Amino acid sequence: MYRAELAVDEIITPWSAAPPVSLRCDDSSSLLDVVAVNLRDGRDQMASLSMLSAGLRVARSCLSTADWQAYCRMLRDHPLGAIMRQDPLTARCANRPRGYAGDAVMLDMIYGEPILAEALAATTPLGRVINQVVNNVPATVALRERRAFMAQWVDAAAAARPAPTILTVAAGHLREADDSAAWAAGQIGRWVALDQDAESCAEIAARQGSQIEIMPESIMAILKSDFPVNDIDLAYAAGLYDYLPHRLAARLTRRLVGLLRPGGRFCFANYAAGIWDAGYMESAMDWSLILRSPADMQAIAASAGPDVAVRHWSGVYGAIHYCEITRL
């Protein structure tokens, strides 16, 4: 499920020198025209998609924030925007049927859940070509790895302590439960899944039954003094921090670490500031995240206070940074 069908090097060929004249930032709309024509006419489709990804990276890096935002809107209104939305993944994110980008259904598509096959069967041949690329770039490969990490965290908690208490923050569809050997073996004592999306909560209940304790709440429930879960062995937030400004991320981190029992761990992840795919995500997908550097992750971890051990690492392609905080 987690192996990319194409190597990233086959899809993306980063420029080692300056971009061609036609992709200068003062003439970046020409990129959209060229790629749209090539995709529409079936010419060099893979190379054109690679050129688009690289060109968007260049444009994002050299345009001002206001100009880049205007360019993103231009792309979505350009004929190329409609072409790219033939890819079910891009369309799901850009159209926001649940009111926000990056919802749990979009993640299911990245994971390769059955909904992806259904969506691909309903789209165009070109949409399937685009999806083959979009669903195998660093950002999406890293999300599949992130799901695997979450299952490993759960299994490690069960190995460290019998019947551990686990809290998943912004749980989405909790697909990592399907991959956890400890969960399948009945070795988890209490698993609480918190998410403010009612449809995501309903999907967890349908998939996992009453064994998962579902809390249809936002993170504000955690920040209150009467949160009903404590002595936690493992708390984790996989995609949440991509949306949290620093002060709120620091406050939540401090609170969650305070809810851990001694030896308990809190893990969080965040897309990296240097991720290659940010240009495509912010423009074609209308999916803007708070991207962070390792120093940013360290600054958030510092808010946990004393008597903790902190470990940082980065995942595949350096696309997602991770932090683990253990309460001593």
Side-chain angles (χ1 to χ4, degrees), residues 91-158:
R92 177 81 193 188
C93 200
N95 294 336
R96 305 186 176 201
R98 289 194 182 177
Y100 60 96
D103 65 23
V105 174
M106 190 207 74
L107 295 184
D108 279 352
M109 290 180 176
I110 293 173
Y111 293 155
E113 293 289 324
I115 191 172
L116 175 62
E118 296 168 7
L120 290 176
T123 193
T124 64
L126 177 55
R128 290 189 280 275
V129 170
I130 297 172
N131 182 263
Q132 190 178 27
V133 173
V134 173
N135 213 5
N136 287 287
V137 295
T140 46
V141 172
L143 275 178
R144 291 189 282 274
E145 181 187 54
R146 192 181 73 182
R147 172 177 169 171
F149 279 150
M150 289 187 284
Q152 291 168 18
W153 297 339
V154 171
D155 289 347

Side-chain angles (χ1 to χ4, degrees), residues 6-156:
L6 298 177
V8 171
D9 289 346
E10 296 179 54
I11 299 170
I12 295 177
T13 306
W15 290 319
S16 58
V21 173
S22 63
L23 297 183
R24 291 178 305 182
C25 290
D26 58 358
D27 190 29
S28 54
S29 62
S30 63
L31 168 68
L32 310 186
D33 298 332
V34 169
V35 174
V37 170
N38 286 351
L39 293 179
R40 184 194 64 200
D41 295 347
R43 295 199 306 262
D44 301 320
Q45 290 177 332
M46 285 295 187
S48 296
L49 290 169
S50 178
M51 182 174 69
L52 174 64
S53 177
L56 291 173
R57 179 179 175 89
V58 171
R60 183 178 183 272
S61 68
C62 63
L63 289 173
S64 68
T65 299
D67 286 346
W68 169 244
Q69 291 173 348
Y71 182 61
C72 291
R73 292 191 294 270
M74 180 180 70
L75 185 152
R76 291 192 290 271
D77 292 337
H78 189 278
L80 179 62
I83 290 173
M84 300 309 295
R85 288 190 294 273
Q86 293 178 49
D87 161 41
L89 181 55
T90 300
R92 177 81 193 188
C93 200
N95 294 336
R96 305 186 176 201
R98 289 194 182 177
Y100 60 96
D103 65 23
V105 174
M106 190 207 74
L107 295 184
D108 279 352
M109 290 180 176
I110 293 173
Y111 293 155
E113 293 289 324
I115 191 172
L116 175 62
E118 296 168 7
L120 290 176
T123 193
T124 64
L126 177 55
R128 290 189 280 275
V129 170
I130 297 172
N131 182 263
Q132 190 178 27
V133 173
V134 173
N135 213 5
N136 287 287
V137 295
T140 46
V141 172
L143 275 178
R144 291 189 282 274
E145 181 187 54
R146 192 181 73 182
R147 172 177 169 171
F149 279 150
M150 289 187 284
Q152 291 168 18
W153 297 339
V154 171
D155 289 347

Side-chain angles (χ1 to χ4, degrees), residues 167-225:
L167 171 64
T168 306
V169 185
H173 288 168
L174 203 73
R175 297 302 187 205
E176 62 270 21
D178 296 337
D179 307 323
S180 167
W183 177 246
Q187 296 173 349
I188 306 302
R190 183 185 186 190
W191 194 338
V192 181
L194 181 144
D195 201 291
Q196 64 182 357
D197 187 322
E199 292 184 72
S200 290
C201 291
E203 175 62 21
I204 296 173
R207 184 93 156 209
Q208 304 297 342
S210 59
Q211 293 175 297
I212 297 290
E213 185 178 332
I214 300 170
M215 295 185 66
E217 303 276 357
S218 75
I219 60 171
M220 298 310 297
I222 298 173
L223 296 174
K224 295 177 182 176
S225 59

